[in-house]
Amino acid sequence: MSLTTHLLCPPKDTYPTVKQFRLGLGEGSAIAVYTFSAGVLVFNIVLLIILIIRFIKTVPSRQVPSQIWVISLPTGMAFCQFLMVFLPNASKFLMASFRVYEAVVMYKFVDLNLKWFGGEKKLLDSVGTNPVMRFNLPPFCCFLFCLSKTHLTRKKIQFVRLVVSQMVYIQIFVLFIQQVLNYQKSLADGLLSTSNPNTFLDILGRSSFFAGFWGLFVFFNIDYTFNILEKSGKFKVKFFLMKLTLKLMVIQEIIIEVLVATDSIPCGPYLSTHAMGTIVMSSAIMLESTLIGIGQFMVYYRFPIIESKHVTVVPEIANGEVGL
């Protein structure tokens, strides 16, 4: 970065006001960003509402809350980028809050998996008397060689559920401590800097995320190994959409953080390097939430129900009436 550019740029770790954001992008570009950002949010909300109505009519009532959490992910992404665009000063807090929301969605997806399997007992009944499967799965497949052939037991299922659920508590803890340090002005700017407590909080949060991601793969591998669920429900496609969304979010966030910390993203007279990184991140989320939202809508609208081959689903009748 040249000296002239450095003098024109705001401090690296600052975020612009709404007025500075518009001046930095230019009036025309700012209006285009605002319009597209709001349009993406409204579009995803409409898709979400249509899917909720579809689920209420077709999906067993005990599965509906978890399924709504799962399909809300593209809408959550769209809402996050919308706030990042209109409230750029809150970008750090918004991304930290999104990680908490992401953890809840992952937990709800695992909970939904268990409902599709019919519960822990039905799941174990479905896999036979000597169920052996791989537990050395992504993202730890290279470190868990000793778990390549492991018996599936109820205690292991409960442990995996615990590994996924810890994400919610760890991410809330990380968010809380980050806000405390922020108010105390104890957060320093720098990538992997020992002077920056946020570095260690990020490591804790990312470690928690990857552990939960491993748990997600374990539940996918249960069906992949023992072929429990009916193929008509498109479980593999639904898992792929969840996996793709989570991977994209964490990978692009890490990439943006590295580019910002190494000054690889240029700044401007009103927009710091961090602010430009946030704009790039928001733009990527706009595109991803639109495409993933459309793909998810098509899959879940056409195939709202997933059934186990070993569980008989009793139709639920409104108002407690029993058909003759």
Side-chain angles (χ1 to χ4, degrees):
M1 183 184 297
S2 67
L3 179 60
T4 304
T5 305
H6 179 73
L7 293 173
L8 290 173
C9 292
K12 182 177 178 180
D13 58 346
T14 60
Y15 288 89
T17 62
V18 173
K19 183 178 180 180
Q20 289 170 336
F21 184 85
R22 294 172 66 179
L23 289 172
L25 285 181
E27 194 67 25
S29 297
I31 291 173
V33 170
Y34 287 145
T35 303
F36 190 62
S37 176
V40 167
L41 176 59
V42 171
F43 176 71
N44 275 280
I45 289 174
V46 170
L47 295 185
L48 177 64
I49 292 172
I50 294 173
L51 284 178
I52 290 173
I53 295 171
R54 171 75 165 160
F55 291 165
I56 291 172
K57 292 179 179 179
T58 59
V59 175
S61 59
R62 67 189 186 92
Q63 296 182 13
V64 171
S66 294
Q67 196 136 316
I68 290 174
W69 270 101
V70 170
I71 59 140
S72 72
L73 190 52
T75 308
M77 293 169 63
F79 185 57
C80 181
Q81 63 80 23
F82 175 80
L83 292 179
M84 287 168 67
V85 168
F86 281 84
L87 303 171
N89 268 303
S91 296
K92 282 186 177 180
F93 175 76
L94 289 170
M95 286 307 302
S97 300
F98 184 81
R99 293 186 203 110
V100 177
Y101 163 74
E102 211 172 34
V104 175
V105 171
M106 286 180 66
Y107 174 76
K108 289 296 183 180
F109 189 72
V110 168
D111 180 64
L112 189 58
N113 278 203
L114 268 178
K115 287 184 172 69
W116 288 333
F117 290 139
E120 291 177 4
K121 188 176 183 304
K122 287 287 186 182
L123 169 58
L124 291 172
D125 290 341
S126 303
V127 297
T129 55
N130 189 33
V132 176
M133 60 173 279
R134 285 181 57 212
F135 277 80
N136 60 325
L137 298 166
F140 304 127
C141 50
C142 299
F143 306 100
L144 301 174
F145 292 113
C146 58
L147 300 179
S148 59
K149 292 183 179 180
T150 305
H151 283 83
L152 180 65
T153 63
R154 190 162 196 164
K155 286 188 176 180
K156 288 187 176 70
I157 293 173
Q158 292 171 346
F159 173 75
V160 173
R161 292 182 68 186
L162 180 64
V163 169
V164 176
S165 64
Q166 57 78 29
M167 281 184 60
V168 180
Y169 305 106
I170 295 295
Q171 297 298 341
I172 291 174
F173 171 77
V174 169
L175 174 62
F176 173 75
I177 298 299
Q178 282 178 334
Q179 294 313 301
V180 171
L181 293 173
N182 186 52
Y183 279 110
Q184 288 295 318
K185 307 298 181 183
S186 300
L187 292 180
D189 182 46
L191 179 67
L192 299 178
S193 170
T194 55
S195 64
N196 185 3
N198 196 50
T199 299
F200 303 103
L201 291 172
D202 278 344
I203 291 173
L204 175 61
R206 295 270 161 72
S207 300
S208 171
F209 172 83
F210 287 123
F213 204 45
W214 171 80
L216 204 65
F217 269 94
V218 170
F219 274 88
F220 170 76
N221 199 44
I222 290 174
D223 179 65
Y224 182 81
T225 303
F226 303 106
N227 195 24
I228 299 172
L229 300 175
E230 295 285 356
K231 292 183 178 179
S232 58
K234 301 298 180 183
F235 172 67
K236 291 181 180 179
V237 178
K238 292 174 181 178
F239 174 81
F240 172 77
L241 287 171
M242 173 65 68
K243 177 185 71 173
L244 176 65
T245 307
L246 296 173
K247 274 187 174 181
L248 281 174
M249 286 301 295
V250 71
I251 291 173
Q252 70 191 10
E253 188 179 355
I254 292 172
I255 290 173
I256 295 296
E257 286 177 359
V258 173
L259 292 176
V260 167
T262 56
D263 291 324
S264 299
I265 295 179
C267 58
Y270 297 97
L271 301 173
S272 67
T273 306
H274 269 104
M276 291 300 293
T278 299
I279 293 171
V280 173
M281 183 78 169
S282 300
S283 302
I285 295 175
M286 286 183 208
L287 179 61
E288 291 157 6
S289 60
T290 302
L291 296 178
I292 293 172
I294 292 172
Q296 185 174 263
F297 177 81
M298 293 173 63
V299 173
Y300 278 89
Y301 191 86
R302 292 185 61 193
F303 310 101
I305 300 174
I306 294 181
E307 296 178 356
S308 170
K309 297 176 181 177
H310 308 278
V311 177
T312 302
V313 177
V314 180
E316 299 180 24
I317 301 173
N319 301 321
E321 299 176 2
V322 179
L324 299 177

